[in-house]
Amino acid sequence: MNIDRARITQMITLEISGLQALLDALAKRGYRVIGPKLRDQAIAYDDISSVRDLPAGWTDEQEGGHYRVTRRSDDALFGYAVGPHSWKRFLYPPIQQLWRARHKGSAVSVTPVPPSAERFAFFGVRACELHAIEIQDRVFMNGELADPHYKARRENAFVVAVNCGTAGGTCFCVSMNTGPGVKRGFDIALTELVEGGAHRFVVEAGSDKGREVLAALPQHAAKPEEIKAAEAVVAKTASSMGRAMKADDVREVLMRNLDNPRWDHVAERCMTCGNCTMVCPTCFCMTVEDSSDLEGLETSRSRRWDSCFTMDHSYVHGGSVRGSAKARYRQWLTHKLATWVDQFGTSGCVGCGRCITWCPVGIDITEEVAAIRNSESR
Amino acid sequence: MAPVTEKKAAVTVHDPMLPRVARVRKRQRDLADVWTLNLEMEDGELLKFAPGQFNMLTVFGVGEVPISISGDPAEDGGGLVHTIRAVGTASGALTRLGLGAAVGVRGPFGTSWPVEEAKGNDVVILAGGLGLAPLRPMIYSVLANRRHYGRVALLYGARSPEEILFRSELEQWRRRLDIELQVTVDHAETDWYGSVGVVTTLVPRATFDPHNTVAVVCGPEIMMRFGTAALRKAGVPDQSMYLSMERSMKCAVGLCGHCQLGSAFVCRDGPVFRSDQLGSLMTVKEL
Ligand SMILES: Cc1cc2nc3c(=O)[nH]c(=O)nc-3n(C[C@H](O)[C@H](O)[C@H](O)COP(=O)(O)OP(=O)(O)OC[C@H]3O[C@@H](n4cnc5c(N)ncnc54)[C@H](O)[C@@H]3O)c2cc1C
Ligand code: SF4
Ligand code: SF4
Ligand code: FES
């Protein structure tokens, strides 16, 4: 059943076949569709073309330093939280060549690597991840000095968001006011309903692009009880957060505690491996590398993700400014939760919990903040 | 933190990470490991700049480093004069480039010395080692508009007599009666007749009215810390002191994260900061 465009301002319901039609519609419009897939014992973001690519019936167990995929009792397609990947790797690839220079005799011509024309459709973007993208927009699309590579990929992207039906063990989006329901920044948003053998998606368009895609899908107008059930899914998730952090005054708490002994305590555990920065969907640090072919006829510069946990990050001639693990952990945490606010008018943390889960020793951002906060009242 | 000093010159390139090609037109050895390079843009642009700003210089196939502009803002091409100490891979490669060699240039970037704010005040210029190079455009500006300023003191410290930068210019400035020049060295053999001691010891000896003074400080971080302390002790308020911070820089446009100092991106909100705006950022260790 196709319904006309004007009526699709309302919520609709898709069956599994409708979801497949959505994937097909995106592919047909030339999008490269990326979505969750079970890969190497984790739920990763990868190319998908079929509903069968999605991790049906899987969930994840997450704790400090612990991640494991396990079976669910139902066939939910989105019944897990976020995995080690974030959409950052598509909007801001880990390695990006910036320019090439050709050397001929003494002549040199520098040519920029053109921004990618790739059009991504992100399928299954969580509320916290939408916020993370919004945060990176502020970093990379800052007016006259905007990054052309990020800008091109971002402006071409189509976003299919999904309201979370299961909170991860390390999630704290409720504290950061970034989830578990999506509010803005999507073209299409889904809420998955799996109960009593029925498997449906309550769907909402967030943009004209989204409305246009939805218009052609087999669907029915969402029934009031379906909309109610969708709202209940989000409410239930919100009430089962794995973690919490008091966030309203965290900036002030951290900035007046730059010499707190807790930094020494965390430094004894932190291996400065930088995992937390790699999995974090907002961390944006990068470094550049120049290379040259053997004859020096072509040279180039690339940028790649970097981490404030490396010694190199703050290296100036004579040594690193932040030589100790303590200084580097403090830089990371205060940047995320405090100085980020001064720089970009928003926190740098969306409460996705990845840094907790993927820390090999289970260092927990919420616990570190609480410890510093509690040390004040002692 | 808000940008501190005067307006930034417009960045003319559109892809902010794309260098433009310049050529080495003149190279001069200043010290055993320090060279001044005069560059010229292939597209002829003269690169307007404000004293205190820096460029990102690329040796193709080697790397890119931030280098302050040390030229005269009143001269054509002054924005393409750089004084470089060979300390590592890229800086070393820059100093080894021959005449006509290609250099990639991005810039100018960053905030500038308070050339305008200082007008009507005494000016204290406190330089340590190579820190004299980023201050030289400020010195040129002040001397070119000398009547707009009160007393001017240039206090310079080098490690040893052999390490004194821009010797012939210092001699010229010494001969001027409208600038007080004092030079000291940390260590010297017997043939040095000047002062011995760290540069901060020159502060109490200089003549200036601390309440109507603008002080600019550039040198190693530790020297700037002691330098601002000496000025503070002499009665100069932090609101009247400016210093130029050095941090790792990979982009110069607020994207790579390397240059962060508290909430400031030194490349964009600095390198020149007013001392009171740095505040505790200078005293917390390893920030
Ligand atoms: C705003 C500003 C203005 C400046 N102005 C001037 C100026 O006018 N004149 C001047 O001479 N200098 C100036 N400098 C300093 C100059 O930029 C550095 O000396 C230069 O970047 C050194 O680079 P290099 O490749 O030669 O040194 P290297 O030490 O070879 O390389 C530095 C880089 O290599 C890596 N690295 C090398 N060794 C190590 C190690 N042991 N551990 C970790 N990482 C390492 C790091 O990534 C580091 O960023 C300025 C710096 C700034 C920020
Ligand atoms: S700091 Fe941790 S919880 Fe916050 S956004 Fe980054 S990875 Fe997620
Ligand atoms: S906090 Fe954990 S993940 Fe982050 S650098 Fe330290 S050990 Fe690695
Ligand atoms: S040098 Fe890259 S952010 Fe300042």
Side-chain angles (χ1 to χ4, degrees), chain A residues 256-278:
Chain A
R256 64 174 178 255
N257 279 290
L258 295 175
D259 291 318
N260 195 291
R262 183 70 188 189
W263 302 117
D264 296 301
H265 189 269
V266 67
E268 278 169 25
R269 290 166 285 143
C270 176
M271 310 192 305
T272 66
C273 65
N275 271 9
C276 47
T277 55
M278 295 293 115

Side-chain angles (χ1 to χ4, degrees), chain A residues 116-131:
Chain A
S116 160
E118 193 121 55
R119 294 166 67 234
F120 288 108
F122 299 143
F123 201 81
V125 182
R126 308 303 177 125
C128 62
E129 299 185 301
L130 280 179
H131 280 268

Side-chain angles (χ1 to χ4, degrees), chain A residues 99 103 106 108 139 284-287 290 299 301 306 313 315-317 321-324 327 330 335 339 342-343, chain B residues 17-19 21 23 58 60-61 63-64 87 102 247-248 250 255-258 260 262-263 265 284-287:
Chain A
W99 51 260
H103 305 254
S106 69
V108 186
V139 174
F284 61 86
C285 281
M286 54 107 158
T287 189
D290 287 25
T299 59
R301 175 166 302 150
D306 198 7
H313 190 273
Y315 186 85
V316 288
H317 172 64
V321 174
R322 291 182 282 273
S324 68
R330 181 179 63 190
H335 187 213
T339 53
D342 304 325
Q343 294 168 349
Chain B
M17 292 299 280
L18 194 67
V21 180
R23 299 285 169 178
T58 292
F60 289 98
E64 182 180 54
V87 298
R247 281 295 179 272
S248 170
K250 298 295 179 187
L255 285 184
C256 75
H258 279 254
Q260 288 178 83
S263 59
F265 288 107
V284 178
K285 264 171 71 182
E286 291 194 300
L287 203 65

Side-chain angles (χ1 to χ4, degrees), chain A residues 287-288 306 310-320, chain B residues 33-35 52-56 62-70 82-95 109 130 133-134 244-250 258-259 266-267 270-271:
Chain A
T287 189
V288 293
D306 198 7
T310 68
M311 284 294 268
D312 230 47
H313 190 273
S314 64
Y315 186 85
V316 288
H317 172 64
S320 295
Chain B
D33 55 352
V34 177
W35 298 73
Q53 288 193 301
F54 66 95
N55 285 321
M56 295 295 284
V62 178
E64 182 180 54
V65 284
I67 302 288
S68 298
I69 299 168
S70 67
H82 295 93
T83 303
I84 305 158
R85 168 164 273 146
V87 298
T89 319
S91 57
L94 275 167
T95 59
F109 296 113
L130 204 65
S244 182
M245 299 300 294
E246 179 178 346
R247 281 295 179 272
S248 170
M249 291 187 182
K250 298 295 179 187
H258 279 254
C259 67
V266 173
C267 66

Side-chain angles (χ1 to χ4, degrees), chain B residues 222-234:
Chain B
I222 178 95
M223 169 267 170
M224 294 198 287
R225 203 167 290 147
F226 285 110
T228 48
L231 287 160
R232 206 172 288 127
K233 196 163 164 225

Side-chain angles (χ1 to χ4, degrees), chain A residues 71-87:
Chain A
R71 298 300 310 199
R72 287 173 63 96
S73 58
D74 59 21
D75 282 332
L77 299 177
F78 297 100
Y80 38 84
V82 293
H85 283 175
S86 72
W87 307 100

